[in-house]
Amino acid sequence: MLLNLPLPRINPYMTTAIIDKIHVAAGTAMPVGGRLFDLTLDLSTAAPHDCPPVGHYCLIVRDRVWLRRLCVAVGDEPVAGANLALFSTRPDEPLDGLLSRSARLTVIGIIPVLSWEETPP
Amino acid sequence: MTVLPLRIGALHLPGYRIQHSGVHWLCEDGHQCRAGENVAYFNVGFLRTSGARDAPDPFGEGERELQFALATPVAGRLHRSLHSSFGGFFDQFQLFVWNPDFAIGGIEPESGCAPDVESCQLRLLMASGGGASGPARLARRGWRVEDDGRIGTLLNLGICELGGVIRGDRFAFEDFIGAVRGPAHVVHVSDEALVPNARLLAEQIRRTAAERAEIARDLAASLAGGPVTPAPGDWIVAGEILRALQSAPLATHYDVLTRTGLRRTGPPDAVILSLRAEPPVLLSHRRLGYVLQSHSYRIESAGPAIPAWLRANFEPIPRRVDDIRRDYAALIALIRSTAPECRILIHNVMSSSGYEDIQTYAMLDASTFNRTASVRDKDLNLMLHDLAREQDIAIIDADAIAADLGGVRCFTTDAVHQSGLMQAEMRGEVLRILSALRVPGFTPVTKSQKRPATAEASHPG
């Protein structure tokens, strides 16, 4: 069974999300509860003000799957609904079949790192 | 029809001549106003008439912008004077010498309300502010000038979630001060430069003059001699950070102008802190040891040199919830060592984001669980209850109030910046706590006190 992963609309004001971290590589088996992506939702264009609303989230899979293909890289900023990854429920399942459904996800808010700290000098 | 003049009344500051600008009206001619409603404001300045010309101003360097909000003493229909406002710089500069008989207009009292001319004097709320950056120019403190008796001072050291609660929609403290009997003096310290966490606040109090000088020398040398040429924004942010590092709002005394002259208040009778200001990681200066915390958006918007300075000179220190509890305990002990009666209120955190959908925490590994913001937020709130039992502090339970009002619907796009309804509820809660703790000056006004010059209130017989 093939599953995709559309970027969920976590916040009604979001249009995109920035991929901060990818926790697994293509070909990896993922348990239920496995971390997949860390994301930043920068809503400062939707709500421009001092102290801009920037949220940090992690996408967790709730299916036991194999990550077969990543459709984004760190730093990408996909739009809501864009496919982020392709999964299969068997490790060697051909990828040219029909999609069965979207992978089940949990979205959690995470404690951010200091953004400027990771900026190269 | 009786129209009573709305006079500004006597105001004295020995050694100074008081001047004001033309009037900025906040309502239209003919407006039916409430008793105590601020209907106008003007700028005010103080010119030294005796002593050295270079003697310090009665208000400090950071308080260049001084304004009086003008409130009607009674309810009624407002008549604006044609000689109150002239537009342009006449309404900006303080060109007019204070004349107690100057009337900004008149009021036609509501029927059944029979104030005399003397009791129809405007009520003055003074707000002072001023600073280099836009938000810092907003009012930093406010009080009514006519109140007699012991002045109670409330110091707000919360982050932006408390700014609107304390300063109100017009940033002049009018909602807050209008709700209490007084005399009340409210101070808001901006979190623009430094985010006021417990450890940083304690260091501000303990810092010696020699340590302040060394921090200034080090910052200047590091920025000017560093590998990255500072941009103008770097210098501005550095100046604001330095000013904040060298201040100690918790140990500060404040001058308050009353109708009869300056009076000194402080240290504060009550302090409000934000639990949201306690980060999971603090920065500590590698050589001098002091901690620093600024909002990321301020650092990112400064220029290239401030982030480079931080990376080169500071190291991150992780802070667990227990560390924060210890920092709070140390700060509270320090405050009460000089002000034993000082009341401490801490605004807890909204612990449910509304944008996550965790079905079960059991599936999360330890690393993910420990990084989950809502888990840490709930731990922080629980810690605050332990602290309240041990240290006699009050919790402003924003978490519960937001839940009662609909969770994320209380906020704009996040769990920090509230709606007007949420701010009003929070303001009411803060006032209720201050009253329960018997903080001087912060007793709520009663209905009859809101109409001080009505026939019933002025002539009870």
Side-chain angles (χ1 to χ4, degrees), chain A residues 53-89:
Chain A
V54 178
H56 305 273
Y57 295 88
C58 183
L59 301 187
I60 307 279
V61 291
R62 287 194 293 120
D63 283 307
R64 189 172 181 282
V65 289
W66 276 262
L67 173 62
R68 301 293 301 279
R69 183 186 295 159
L70 282 165
C71 305
V72 289
V74 169
D76 285 356
E77 190 172 354
V79 297
N83 191 38
L84 304 181
L86 191 64
F87 304 93
S88 63
T89 52

Side-chain angles (χ1 to χ4, degrees), chain B residues 70-294:
Chain B
L70 312 172
T72 54
V74 295
R77 185 173 300 280
L78 182 76
H79 295 262
R80 289 166 38 165
S81 165
L82 295 174
H83 308 292
S84 60
S85 176
F86 306 95
F89 286 108
F90 285 97
D91 292 351
Q92 299 294 327
F93 295 162
Q94 301 94 42
L95 300 172
F96 306 99
V97 174
W98 192 275
N99 175 358
D101 293 324
F102 169 62
I104 65 167
I107 192 160
E108 184 185 335
E110 281 181 354
S111 59
C113 172
D116 55 34
V117 173
E118 285 306 312
S119 67
C120 213
Q121 181 173 282
L122 286 161
R123 303 192 74 210
L124 308 181
L125 183 152
M126 186 164 185
S128 70
S133 69
R137 297 174 72 89
L138 299 171
R140 300 200 314 189
R141 56 195 188 106
W143 66 95
R144 286 213 181 279
V145 304
E146 42 248 293
D147 294 324
D148 295 324
R150 185 189 184 292
I151 299 169
T153 291
L154 170 68
L155 174 62
N156 177 30
L157 285 167
I159 59 170
C160 49
E161 62 193 358
L162 274 157
V165 172
I166 303 299
R167 289 199 290 194
D169 286 342
R170 292 200 292 207
F171 304 106
F173 304 96
E174 54 189 337
D175 300 319
F176 206 90
I177 291 175
V180 297
R181 198 179 293 175
H185 169 230
V186 183
V187 183
H188 171 82
V189 177
S190 168
D191 61 344
E192 275 291 298
L194 294 181
V195 180
N197 65 71
R199 183 162 164 189
L200 186 149
L201 291 168
E203 288 186 0
Q204 281 180 324
I205 297 173
R206 291 195 192 103
R207 190 161 288 139
T208 65
E211 289 169 336
R212 287 179 186 153
E214 182 56 27
I215 288 172
R217 265 194 299 275
D218 175 80
L219 175 52
S222 300
L223 266 191
V228 179
T229 304
D234 287 308
W235 291 116
I236 291 170
V237 170
E240 290 178 345
I241 288 175
L242 184 60
R243 187 199 299 272
L245 284 171
Q246 300 200 332
S247 70
L250 281 161
T252 300
H253 290 264
Y254 300 90
D255 285 331
V256 172
L257 181 67
T258 69
R259 289 275 187 193
T260 53
L262 279 185
R263 292 174 60 194
R264 177 146 279 214
T265 73
D269 298 282
V271 176
I272 306 181
L273 305 169
S274 281
L275 185 53
R276 184 65 76 195
E278 305 296 333
V281 176
L282 265 180
L283 295 180
S284 175
H285 194 276
R286 294 179 199 277
R287 186 172 69 83
L288 299 176
Y290 68 89
V291 299
L292 188 144
Q293 183 195 3
S294 286

Side-chain angles (χ1 to χ4, degrees), chain B residues 429-453:
Chain B
E429 179 68 358
V430 172
L431 289 164
R432 188 192 64 75
I433 294 171
L434 294 173
S435 173
L437 294 175
R438 300 179 186 280
V439 175
F442 289 88
T443 306
V445 290
T446 60
K447 214 167 184 179
S448 61
Q449 286 168 330
K450 283 183 178 174
R451 301 166 63 88

Side-chain angles (χ1 to χ4, degrees), chain A residues 7-121:
Chain A
L7 173 62
R9 189 175 290 278
I10 298 169
N11 182 302
Y13 293 94
M14 75 174 269
T15 54
T16 63
I18 300 162
I19 308 292
D20 293 323
K21 191 167 186 177
I22 300 174
H23 290 279
V24 287
T28 307
M30 298 196 67
V32 172
R35 281 183 292 181
L36 191 52
F37 297 111
D38 287 358
L39 310 172
T40 291
L41 261 60
D42 182 349
L43 304 180
S44 57
T45 54
H49 56 77
D50 271 347
C51 196
V54 178
H56 305 273
Y57 295 88
C58 183
L59 301 187
I60 307 279
V61 291
R62 287 194 293 120
D63 283 307
R64 189 172 181 282
V65 289
W66 276 262
L67 173 62
R68 301 293 301 279
R69 183 186 295 159
L70 282 165
C71 305
V72 289
V74 169
D76 285 356
E77 190 172 354
V79 297
N83 191 38
L84 304 181
L86 191 64
F87 304 93
S88 63
T89 52
R90 286 184 289 112
D92 53 354
E93 191 167 340
L95 297 181
D96 54 357
L98 290 176
L99 286 172
S100 294
R101 61 174 170 83
S102 296
R104 296 192 174 100
L105 277 182
T106 280
V107 178
I108 64 172
I110 55 174
I111 300 165
V113 295
L114 300 173
S115 54
W116 54 266
E117 194 181 34
E118 296 196 333
T119 308

